[in-house]
Amino acid sequence: MNLTLKIWRQAGPDDKGRMVTYQVKNVNPDMSFLEMLDVLNEDLIAKGEDPVAFDHDCREGICGMCSLYINGEAHGPGRGITTCQLHMRSFKDGDTIIIEPWRAKAFPVIKDLVTDRSAFDRIIQAGGYISVNTSGNTIDANAIPIPKENADKAFDAATCIGCGACVATCKNSSAMLFVSAKVSQLALLPQGRVEAKERVLKMVHQMDLEGFGNCTNTGACEVECPKGISLENIARMNREYLAAVIS
């Protein structure tokens, strides 16, 4: 496969940035998208040019680092996959592929396709945890009966990998799906109920401080989420927030 790549290049946070066109030849359809970028970077390095910077880590769809906006879609044309799980057989010989970083005020570009997603870390630090007695009197979590429905919903919410696709695909750059998943996975379990009110207030407050937009129920976030996080979590977080405010 021979492809034309139009890639966002930006030397640093203060650089204006621009789209640069590259030609990539003899791409194997069985390559992953990131392997194709590796081939491009090897060619650029051989020519003495600066390689394209992009995030990646596990390359197994687990860590959420490889977050690219491909042809106008977060993580590309596939559904239920991250960028590293996207294979070149999803494209055709001669295709033009446009590759951009996440576009959101709260995710500033560091270089090229790499964005600063530490805003998510600060939201988690604000309340995405439980306080547990570790003095030697801890209780085995399995000793606490939990309804299967709640356990299943908590597990589903916990599959969120924090990639930021929900923010990138949302017209408002809202982080509601991410935050609601983190709130839900704890609110649904007895271990998380102790700090539930404080948690949701702090996490939503931090989300607003980071500059994320609000949710208008478009639903694009759920469609583009590689883990299929449900909009039901946003409704749950809104109920948790309202209960915390009026109590």
Side-chain angles (χ1 to χ4, degrees), residues 42-220:
E42 288 174 1
D43 290 342
L44 292 177
I45 293 171
K47 296 175 184 177
E49 299 180 28
D50 190 29
V52 177
F54 62 92
D55 269 328
H56 62 95
D57 192 357
C58 74
R59 299 200 178 199
E60 294 180 349
I62 299 171
C63 69
M65 290 297 293
C66 57
S67 303
L68 301 178
Y69 210 67
I70 304 167
N71 284 349
E73 296 183 86
H75 293 301
R79 289 291 173 268
I81 60 172
T82 55
T83 301
C84 64
Q85 296 173 300
L86 176 66
H87 287 81
M88 298 313 298
R89 53 180 170 266
S90 298
F91 303 92
K92 298 178 181 178
D93 183 38
D95 275 357
T96 296
I97 305 175
I98 300 173
I99 310 171
E100 301 173 85
W102 283 170
R103 301 291 190 183
K105 177 183 177 181
F107 290 163
V109 174
I110 298 175
K111 183 179 180 181
D112 296 338
L113 304 174
V114 179
T115 57
D116 180 359
R117 286 172 282 173
S118 60
F120 273 8
D121 297 329
R122 290 187 289 273
I123 292 173
I124 294 295
Q125 290 167 2
Y129 54 84
I130 61 172
S131 298
V132 178
N133 184 347
T134 58
S135 64
N137 297 318
T138 54
I139 300 175
D140 188 336
N142 292 327
I144 303 174
I146 300 172
K148 187 178 187 305
E149 182 181 4
N150 290 355
D152 288 345
K153 289 181 178 179
F155 184 86
D156 289 343
T159 60
C160 169
I161 56 177
C163 66
C166 51
V167 175
T169 199
C170 177
K171 62 183 180 181
N172 306 318
S173 296
S174 172
M176 290 281 279
L177 194 67
F178 165 76
V179 178
S180 67
K182 301 307 177 183
V183 167
S184 290
Q185 74 177 72
L186 298 176
L188 285 163
L189 301 176
Q191 295 93 331
R193 291 311 307 170
V194 178
E195 298 160 304
K197 293 179 180 179
E198 181 181 2
R199 176 184 303 112
V200 70
L201 291 175
K202 286 185 175 180
M203 293 183 74
V204 170
H205 176 66
Q206 188 63 42
M207 176 182 69
D208 292 339
L209 288 180
E210 297 294 343
F212 292 105
N214 207 347
C215 174
T216 51
N217 294 312
T218 303

